[in-house]
Amino acid sequence: TDCGTADWLVGSEMCIRDRSNAHKIVNSLSNQGFQISPISGLVNAFTLMNRTQKELTETTEYKDGLIYLQNASSQIPAVVLSPKPGDTVLDICAAPGSKTTQMAAMMENTGQIIANDMSRVRLYKLSSNLKSLGVTNTTTFHLRAQDMWRKFPNTFDKVLVDVPCSMEGRFIEGYEKSYKDWSLKKVAKLSSYQKQILHSAVSCTKPGGVIVYSTCTISPEENEEVISWFLNKHKGQVELVDVEINSKNVIPGLNDFGGEKYIEGIDKTKRIVPDDIFEAFYVAKLIKLN
């Protein structure tokens, strides 16, 4: 699941994709009566203060792919990964593409992004988003994420690992659709799956490259436990580095949970505390040593 979207949520956050004309786009929207407020800690990210999301999607700016509706928390993993123009990047669980298109904008549509997803239906949505936003530096793949390392060993400068998760950070009290599929068994199954994907992602990364792991769940089994497991199992292969996010919503990762103590330094990972703008999220940053 791409944590940039959910069909039961109506968000009011947006990210400007045409970064070179951000000021012009803001002025144009303001002249059309849209009141937008910058989101602290994120570049070219805004909250819609009035009007409706539907009205925003009817603007020329939206139809031309200059802006994209994306929750503030969903924008953080790409910011932490910080892809630069000319980089080679893997988005290992990409569809429907909110973070892929965000990274393409950060890279000024240069370099190369491999956007992978194992769902053919979601891959169609990804391709559609790439086309509508004018992204030309991205190639899509339809492979199992845990098998990507076989095709791309030690290939990428940077890898985004926004894994499928239980989406606990998006539960809405009293709205059954947001949590009807949740179970402890599913959390355990996802945790195992996430570990396989992270292992594949690290194998796809060049020595010296950066890996960012993220979820939109609050489950420690899918967050700190996954990172702690990998670091214990692959000592000397990767280094955990501090996630630096300038936001009051950020707290350190949990040192322990349910009687299990996580690896030293796990507090370098970060949890995003939800509010009216930010959804619950988890982000970890790794450097591949060899």
Side-chain angles (χ1 to χ4, degrees), residues 131-146:
K131 183 178 180 180
S132 64
L133 272 71
V135 175
T136 57
N137 71 338
T138 300
T139 303
T140 61
F141 274 79
H142 178 236
L143 296 172
R144 297 198 321 160
Q146 60 267 48

Side-chain angles (χ1 to χ4, degrees), residues 22-34 61:
H23 185 69
K24 181 180 178 180
I25 293 168
V26 168
N27 286 340
S28 176
L29 291 174
S30 297
N31 291 337
Q32 295 174 65
F34 291 96
E61 285 78 9

